[in-house]
Amino acid sequence: MRPAGILESALYVDDLAAAQVFYADVLGLDVIKPADGRQVFLRCGDGVVLIFDATETARPVDAEARFPVPPHGTTGPGHLCFRAGAEEIEAWKTRLEGHGIVIEADFTWPSGGRSIYFRDPAGNSIEFAEPNIWGIA
């Protein structure tokens, strides 16, 4: 057996409101559940991007809670890569720079496929890349 795919990806931030603006307004993801002090959930294609307040999600929830999700989290900048075609990457670069976002790296991998890297408001490393960097069509 093996998993069929990734359903959720999580990043941790210190300012949920800023993260919601960035991911919804700049990157255009649809908000499923708005920021509530603990998390904001956003749809991305067939998956979901979970943005958690790094401090709040590390705290245990009441075992009797409706959704007794165990505490989790990490410290330091995380990473998330969005799938994009070559023309989309160029359009994303223009859009991001138009929002004053610095592109930290822009290159083509030896096996082919381009990536651009930038930071979200919490300092997480975000990437747009062509899927062929991983041999995916």
Side-chain angles (χ1 to χ4, degrees):
M1 289 184 64
R2 74 174 84 180
I6 296 172
L7 179 62
E8 306 169 344
S9 297
L11 291 172
Y12 299 86
V13 303
D14 54 6
D15 184 338
L16 283 173
Q20 181 170 319
V21 167
F22 179 80
Y23 287 95
D25 295 352
V26 177
L27 297 188
L29 300 183
D30 294 326
V31 176
I32 299 169
K33 181 177 186 234
D36 65 357
R38 184 177 173 89
Q39 64 233 348
V40 59
F41 300 157
L42 305 115
R43 180 159 322 282
C44 181
D46 291 336
V48 177
V49 176
L50 309 174
I51 308 290
F52 292 106
D53 178 290
T55 302
E56 290 300 318
T57 196
R59 295 182 187 172
V61 295
D62 182 352
E64 302 299 317
R66 182 172 174 208
F67 303 110
V69 176
H72 52 82
T74 188
T75 58
H79 174 69
L80 183 63
C81 179
F82 293 101
R83 177 186 194 132
E87 290 178 7
E88 291 174 298
I89 290 174
E90 193 57 39
W92 276 114
K93 182 177 180 183
T94 299
R95 178 180 175 91
L96 293 164
E97 289 174 337
H99 281 277
I101 297 165
V102 174
I103 303 299
E104 292 185 324
D106 179 349
F107 59 90
T108 300
W109 293 89
S111 60
R114 180 178 174 196
S115 288
I116 60 170
Y117 290 81
F118 53 97
R119 299 281 168 173
D120 76 2
N124 290 301
S125 175
I126 308 301
E127 176 185 9
F128 279 101
E130 293 180 76
N132 63 326
I133 69 170
W134 293 109
I136 299 170

